[in-house]
């Protein structure tokens, strides 16, 4: 992988919690709801 380096050195912590029911919309497509929390620190 390559990129611009914009986020090089970024430190993150966090978690993801499911807050809704998983629902199949059509074959191969699923809808769900998550709550993501955490912190990040840039250089």
């Amino acid at each position: 992988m390559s990129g611009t380096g914009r986020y090089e050195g970024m430190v993150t912590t966090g978690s993801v919690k499911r807050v809704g029911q998983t629902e199949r919309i059509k074959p191969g497509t699923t809808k769900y709801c998550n709550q993501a929390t955490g912190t990040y620190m840039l250089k």
Side-chain angles (χ1 to χ4, degrees):
M1 291 192 98
S2 64
T4 63
R6 181 177 182 179
Y7 298 108
E8 185 177 343
M10 183 170 164
V11 177
T12 63
T13 61
S15 64
V16 177
K17 176 178 145 183
R18 185 172 20 185
V19 293
Q21 294 290 332
T22 300
E23 180 182 332
R24 175 174 264 171
I25 298 172
K26 62 182 182 180
T29 305
T30 304
K31 179 175 88 172
Y32 55 91
C33 183
N34 289 333
Q35 177 185 24
T37 58
T39 61
Y40 66 93
M41 183 174 54
L42 297 173
K43 287 193 222 178

